């Protein structure tokens, strides 16, 4: 597939905006005729670009995205360089991602759906701990989890919030998701579970007015939820491009040996 017609997107920092202007002047701007997106920023910009691709398609399907770091962390980005961009794009390796689809029902009965690249999380809304009942594939697995919250992470998201919550790092093509508690109080020794990527997870919030719970799919929040259902959406495939030897699967593997 050709990758020589580029549309550029950038975060709103001065550095990223200046780079955007230089690269557009040098390589042009294909707009709706593009066959690749080059994103200039950090991981936050990459996530927002992925969501934009899913929601808008940018006019022609799910375009591959090549990120160049103009942010802070840049785990999902390539090193920034202005020279030989077309060559880098032509030899870039592709990593495929499938998002999680969250379907949340509030206590008032409203239904909200959202997609997540990294994780779907449930959080307590007040000083009261959340009480959650967990089902996997319509079978109750945990009757009551008292905690600050719970998250279901993809392999791409396993090195983010999931890792900070002491969840496992997941190899990109392992076909599993990580179900990780956040500050579990009871049962105190439950550390979460690894689930097959086709599993359907349903979480019921217990406690009503006393223990309100919110659900968050990446940055889309639904408050006062009664029930949340989460599953991987295999009909959506997102493609990230990386320089040779630095594809996402390799980066995730390297995180397991980081000092």
């Amino acid at each position: 597939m050709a990758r020589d017609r580029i549309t550029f997107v950038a975060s709103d920092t001065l550095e990223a905006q200046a780079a955007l202007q230089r690269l557009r002047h040098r390589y042009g701007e294909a707009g709706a005729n593009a066959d690749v997106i080059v994103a200039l920023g950090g991981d936050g910009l990459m996530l927002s670009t992925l969501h934009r691709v899913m929601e808008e398609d940018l006019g022609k399907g799910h375009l591959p995205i090549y990120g160049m770091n103009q942010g802070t962390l840049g785990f999902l980005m390539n090193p920034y360089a202005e020279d030989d961009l077309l060559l880098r794009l032509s030899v870039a390796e592709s990593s495929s991602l499938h998002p999680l689809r969250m379907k949340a029902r509030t206590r008032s009965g409203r239904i909200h759906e959202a997609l997540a690249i990294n994780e779907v999380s449930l959080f307590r809304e007040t000083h009261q701990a959340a009480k959650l009942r967990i089902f996997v594939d319509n079978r109750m697995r945990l009757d009551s989890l008292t905690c600050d919250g719970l998250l279901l992470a993809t392999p791409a998201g396993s090195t983010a919030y999931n890792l900070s919550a002491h969840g496992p790092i997941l190899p990109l093509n392992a076909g599993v998701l990580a179900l990780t508690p956040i500050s579990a109080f009871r049962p105190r020794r439950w550390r979460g579970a690894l689930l097959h990527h086709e599993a359907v997870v349903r979480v019921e919030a217990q406690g009503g007015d006393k223990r309100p719970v919110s659900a968050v799919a990446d940055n889309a929040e639904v408050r006062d939820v009664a029930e949340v259902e989460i599953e991987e959406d295999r009909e959506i495939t997102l493609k990230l491009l990386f320089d040779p030897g630095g594809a996402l699967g390799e980066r995730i593997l390297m995180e397991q040996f980081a000092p």
Side-chain angles (χ1 to χ4, degrees):
M1 176 181 176
R3 297 171 183 165
D4 54 1
R5 294 179 297 177
I6 306 169
T7 187
F8 292 94
V9 296
S11 65
D12 57 5
T13 66
L14 293 177
E15 294 82 359
Q17 287 296 313
L20 174 66
Q21 296 305 316
R22 292 194 301 271
L23 289 168
R24 278 178 170 169
H25 178 75
R26 185 166 180 177
Y27 295 100
E29 170 60 58
N33 295 317
D35 45 39
V36 64
I37 302 168
V38 172
L40 309 170
D43 289 342
L45 185 275
M46 176 59 78
L47 287 176
S48 68
T49 303
L50 287 165
H51 278 278
R52 181 184 170 194
V53 166
M54 288 190 293
E55 293 164 7
E56 301 178 7
D57 279 352
L58 289 177
K60 52 174 299 184
H62 293 159
L63 297 179
I65 306 171
Y66 180 87
M68 288 202 291
N69 192 18
Q70 285 282 286
T72 304
L73 294 177
F75 184 78
L76 299 175
M77 316 300 279
N78 297 284
Y80 180 82
E82 297 181 15
D83 294 334
D84 299 321
L85 179 57
L86 293 179
L87 176 61
R88 293 175 75 185
L89 290 172
S90 70
V91 299
E93 300 174 355
S94 177
S95 296
S96 296
L97 305 177
H98 301 288
L100 299 175
R101 181 173 293 277
M102 175 187 80
K103 184 177 182 180
R105 178 175 59 84
T106 67
R107 293 201 303 126
S108 65
R110 295 188 64 183
I111 303 297
H112 301 264
E113 291 195 29
L115 296 169
I117 307 298
N118 278 351
E119 73 276 320
V120 173
S121 308
L122 285 83
F123 300 104
R124 63 184 176 99
E125 293 182 7
T126 69
H127 65 282
Q128 292 278 5
K131 280 197 172 183
L132 307 175
R133 180 176 290 132
I134 302 172
F135 297 79
V136 178
D137 295 331
N138 289 320
R139 181 174 176 181
M140 188 175 70
R141 302 293 177 172
L142 197 55
D143 179 61
S144 182
L145 171 66
T146 303
C147 58
D148 280 355
L150 178 74
L151 63 87
L152 184 69
T154 66
S158 68
T159 61
Y161 188 22
N162 172 73
L163 183 59
S164 297
H166 307 292
I169 295 176
L170 305 177
L172 186 62
N173 297 316
V176 294
L177 304 170
L179 185 65
T180 302
I182 303 170
S183 300
F185 181 66
R186 290 285 188 274
R188 193 178 296 274
R189 291 182 174 82
W190 190 67
R191 294 293 181 263
L194 292 177
L195 306 178
H196 192 271
H197 71 92
E198 294 181 346
V200 178
V201 177
R202 180 163 55 89
V203 183
E204 296 177 353
Q206 303 171 283
D209 292 332
K210 185 178 180 181
R211 302 177 186 275
V213 171
S214 63
V216 182
D218 283 350
N219 58 357
E221 181 180 17
V222 181
R223 297 183 68 82
D224 200 20
V225 298
E227 180 181 88
V228 177
E229 186 173 281
I230 315 161
E231 60 183 318
E232 189 179 67
D233 192 332
R234 301 292 292 184
E235 294 185 1
I236 299 176
T237 300
L238 300 164
K239 293 188 180 296
L240 295 185
L241 301 177
F242 295 92
D243 294 332
L248 187 57
E250 175 64 19
R251 295 180 182 210
I252 294 173
L253 179 61
M254 288 174 62
E255 280 292 306
Q256 297 185 78
F257 297 91

